[in-house]
Every structure is written in structure tokens, then in C-alpha cells.
Amino acid sequence: MARGRGERSLAAAAFESTEKTAPASGFYFLPHMSNGLALDRGLVEDDLVGTRDPGDADLDVANVAGDIGIPIDLEALGFWLKALMGAPTSGDNSGNSGYYIHTFESGAWSLPSFSLEKQVPDVPSYEMFRGCRADTLRLTLQRGGRVNGTVGVIGQAVTTPASSTAAGTPSSYALSRFMQRQASVEIDASAQANVVSADFTFSNNLDQVDTVTGDEFIGGLDPMRAAMTGNLRLRFASESLFTTAKAGTPIALSFVLTKSATEKLTLAMPRVFLSVPGRPVEGPGGIEANFSFMAARDTDDSAMLTATLLNTVESY
């Protein structure tokens, strides 16, 4: 009997036309390093009195959620940005035939749902999660290695694992991963030389609708107020950012990943507020300060976060 192995597992996903109904086609394989999306049912203990030993336990309601570790790449990332922020505005990259610009903006009142099939062909086991929405994206920039992220997903239904796929023959995105050496952090449009690391969490703060549905699952997922928070760790080389933070003056903050002029990801926040950190001397080495930040919509009510992805994919 074959045993399931992570190295053989696959994830195929497609956006839904009808929420909680898996599409018959249109699936794409999504590259990932880990897939924690799963159905979990806890136990409810016996509450009857009259005997010292308990009676039978019962299964409680179903919870469908989990984190998926993803590479930050040129093509498949567009699927996750659409899931997190809604459909982009897409168009030709002017003067560059075969290249396109996709602009995703936070703040949409509704978000698309998708179905994701978790495939373990060695068993075989094919489990279709339906009515899924992307709740969070976490990402860290540092000096070396690949740029990876974690997407938090919540689902509304799941089918009993089958022995064959229900995703048809999925398409594949070309894998072109961003490296940390291709990253830069910009404050007020100027690249910063003293950033040791940067991280952020974008959250849709999905509200699980705990209605009585008769099928053990939640009744829906409603996006609440979005949030963009994170940290900037800098070598202490100037008082400038401390002065800005103390004054409560917002900055424009961007995380930029660049392969070339036509292959690029920019995560731009036009209005970011910084905490005022300490700068402890912890020995003879360099002095560092950790600024936490919160992003806000711009003064003209434009998006808190704009993600611009340049690649060869025509549309998402």
C-alpha cells in the first residue's frame, strides 16, 4: 500500500461562479511548500450525570481552515492577490509586447470565492474544499534566500475525499520565483540602505457566519475592515525616521521585488504610521531599531494597499 508523501502532493484551484460550487474546469496548479488547509471536527464530551465514567463523545461542527506556504513568484501570485483583494485592472505593458500590468487594490466590499482540491495521488486521495476565501497574507524580506509567503485560507464546505480528481486537467503557471536579493524597501519613493528586515501581514479579517445550516458548516464568510501591519528593522544611522514617527507624520512605504523592467512586484502603501521604538545598545555590534507600522487609506480614500504585478500573464 502506497503512503502519502508531501513531496507528491498537489493543490489545484479555480475561482467559483457560484459560491461553494466547484467549477467543472478552469483549475490551475498552485505551487506551494506546505498546505495546512484541512477539515477539523472536535469532540463534545458527555454531559449527563448519574455515573462516574463518561458516556460516548459526539463529533462537533466542522471547521475548514489552514495556512498554505507559497513562493512569491511572477505568475501564480496573481491568483492569491485576486483572492485577497479582488479582480485586478489588467492591461498591456506599454511598449513591451507580450507583457502585462495587473493592479490589485485593497478595499473591495466583496471578495471572490474559490475551490481548492488537495491532491495526494499516492493514496489516492482527492479532497475538494469549496467556498474558500483568502484571509491573510504574511511575508518577510531579509538579506538572503527566496521570498516566501503564507496565505491563511478559510473554507465553507468540503467533499468526502475521492479516489480520482474532480479538477479535470489543471493548467500550470510558469514558476519564476523572486529572490531576497531582488528586494528593496522604499520610503517616500527613496530606496532605504539600512533596512535589516521587513515583514507585513495583510488581513481581510473574515467574519465566519455561524448560522444554523444543518450541514455542520458555517453559513458564509464576510470581509470586515482590512488591516496592513508590519515591522521595519533598521540599523541606527539617522534620527530622521525617529523624528517622523514622533511627529505622527505618515510615510509612503513600498516593498519592491524586481527581476527586470517587465517582471516586477510592487506592494505600495501611500499612508503608513510608525511606532516610536527604542534603540537599545546590546553590545559592541551595530545598534538596531524595530519600527512597527500600520497602513491606512489615503486622504482621497484611495486604496490602503496597491499591488502591481508585471508579467506575461494576460489576465487573472
Side-chain angles (χ1 to χ4, degrees):
M1 177 184 293
R3 288 177 288 272
R5 292 172 292 165
E7 64 183 352
R8 288 268 287 157
S9 68
L10 298 166
F15 288 103
E16 299 171 342
S17 297
T18 302
E19 191 166 349
K20 293 196 285 187
T21 300
S25 61
F27 283 82
Y28 276 82
F29 284 121
L30 297 178
H32 61 286
M33 293 82 67
S34 61
N35 186 350
L37 183 60
L39 178 147
D40 174 73
R41 280 190 177 98
L43 291 170
V44 179
E45 65 179 298
D46 174 43
D47 59 356
L48 298 178
V49 299
T51 178
R52 184 161 182 265
D53 289 336
D56 293 348
D58 290 300
L59 286 171
D60 203 359
V61 294
N63 294 297
V64 181
D67 288 344
I68 300 177
I70 64 167
I72 303 301
D73 75 325
L74 267 178
E75 295 195 1
L77 181 64
F79 178 95
W80 292 115
L81 291 175
K82 179 178 177 178
L84 286 156
M85 293 190 282
T89 300
S90 298
D92 293 337
N93 190 338
S94 180
N96 297 285
S97 179
Y99 288 90
Y100 303 91
I101 298 176
H102 311 282
T103 304
F104 305 82
E105 293 186 338
S106 64
W109 287 106
S110 62
L111 298 173
S113 64
F114 60 93
S115 292
L116 186 148
E117 187 177 69
K118 196 173 182 179
Q119 303 181 353
V120 186
D122 286 332
V123 173
S125 175
Y126 296 84
E127 194 173 16
M128 184 69 76
F129 296 86
R130 295 175 284 116
C132 297
R133 284 199 167 90
D135 187 25
T136 59
L137 172 65
R138 301 190 298 275
L139 187 151
T140 297
L141 299 179
Q142 55 195 18
R143 181 170 179 265
R146 296 185 176 95
V147 186
N148 296 324
T150 302
V151 179
V153 175
I154 303 174
Q156 299 179 63
V158 59
T159 58
T160 301
S163 59
S164 61
T165 180
T169 304
S171 302
S172 295
Y173 291 108
L175 182 62
S176 180
R177 301 177 70 168
F178 284 108
M179 302 297 293
Q180 295 282 3
R181 59 182 171 79
Q182 297 166 328
S184 62
V185 177
E186 297 180 358
I187 294 177
D188 295 331
S190 296
Q192 300 300 295
N194 290 295
V195 177
V196 176
S197 65
D199 65 77
F200 74 79
T201 298
F202 173 81
S203 178
N204 281 311
N205 288 310
L206 294 177
D207 180 28
Q208 300 187 48
V209 183
D210 292 323
T211 51
V212 181
T213 59
D215 63 1
E216 301 183 290
F217 294 101
I218 59 176
L221 288 166
D222 294 339
M224 305 302 285
R225 175 164 289 179
M228 183 77 168
T229 60
N231 297 278
L232 292 174
R233 190 164 189 85
L234 279 71
R235 279 293 180 100
F236 178 41
S238 167
E239 291 284 356
S240 176
L241 208 55
F242 289 90
T243 301
T244 299
K246 290 174 183 176
T249 304
I251 61 170
L253 177 64
S254 296
F255 299 140
V256 184
L257 295 165
T258 306
K259 284 181 173 288
S260 69
T262 54
E263 298 177 319
K264 185 176 181 180
L265 170 67
T266 303
L267 300 169
M269 294 157 277
R271 195 170 176 82
V272 171
F273 292 86
L274 301 171
S275 70
V276 181
R279 45 195 184 206
V281 177
E282 298 176 328
I287 300 172
E288 296 180 355
N290 187 57
F291 293 84
S292 61
F293 68 80
M294 293 184 181
R297 65 182 184 278
D298 209 351
T299 51
D300 61 359
D301 282 341
S302 59
M304 170 184 69
L305 170 66
T306 299
T308 305
L309 183 61
L310 280 59
N311 59 23
T312 57
V313 178
E314 187 171 0
S315 64
Y316 286 99

